[in-house]
Amino acid sequence: GAEASGAAFEPQRMRVSAQVASGEASVWRDVLPGRARTLVSVRFARPLPYPLFVRRVLSGFSDLFEQDVAIGDPMFDPYYVVQSAQPGWVRELLSPPARRAAMLRIAAASEWALLSERGMYWTLARPTPTAAELSAHVAHAAELAAAFAG
């Protein structure tokens, strides 16, 4: 299944990292003046062959951003703005339903999300998540890694 293994805690950075199917997943706290947030990342072991920029937009605001590449999925397109100089390649990259489904689960539970050629990064919707919410995001990270590994 989609699981993380070999978790390591870095106390100085408040970061937990683990190996997942296609690279490394991390969860950490970032404290900025007046704002704390929890972030999750999945870094691919090998970057994707072309640059791309796929960012989550707030529901109802997708019309404010230029959509270079429409994937053609009425559930996915309103949540993510896709930009790439290789539209055929990025449509193929996002054609497996498991990839889009993993990204939609992340969109539903995140404040901000970005997929690039190096991996996917997102902030949790709540600044101080519960243990159950953290576990769910670790599962999302493992699911995303598994979807992009194949």
Side-chain angles (χ1 to χ4, degrees):
E3 297 177 5
S5 64
F9 177 59
E10 301 172 55
Q12 71 280 10
R13 297 176 68 195
M14 293 301 295
R15 177 187 293 251
V16 175
S17 299
Q19 294 302 307
V20 290
S22 64
E24 179 182 78
S26 298
V27 178
W28 72 97
R29 290 282 289 168
D30 185 27
V31 180
L32 303 170
R35 183 162 188 229
R37 60 188 180 161
T38 302
L39 298 98
V40 181
S41 70
V42 174
R43 289 193 53 106
F44 300 143
R46 288 184 312 275
L48 299 172
Y50 300 107
L52 75 155
F53 189 72
V54 182
R55 69 181 178 277
R56 179 192 178 276
V57 295
L58 296 174
S59 180
F61 288 94
S62 60
D63 293 341
L64 298 177
F65 298 96
E66 184 177 331
Q67 180 87 326
D68 286 354
V69 182
I71 300 305
D73 180 338
M75 296 298 293
F76 183 87
D77 287 342
Y79 286 96
Y80 285 97
V81 171
V82 180
Q83 297 175 313
S84 172
Q86 304 289 331
W89 169 79
V90 79
R91 280 189 197 96
E92 184 178 324
L93 175 75
L94 296 175
S95 67
R99 291 180 179 174
R100 293 191 316 278
M103 291 178 69
L104 283 170
R105 276 189 271 290
I106 290 165
S110 68
E111 175 184 65
W112 172 91
L114 170 70
L115 173 70
S116 75
E117 65 274 9
R118 298 197 176 279
M120 187 155 184
Y121 312 85
W122 65 95
T123 58
L124 278 60
R126 290 174 18 105
T128 307
T130 65
E133 289 168 330
L134 282 175
S135 292
H137 281 277
V138 169
H140 295 331
E143 176 189 13
L144 181 89
F148 278 87

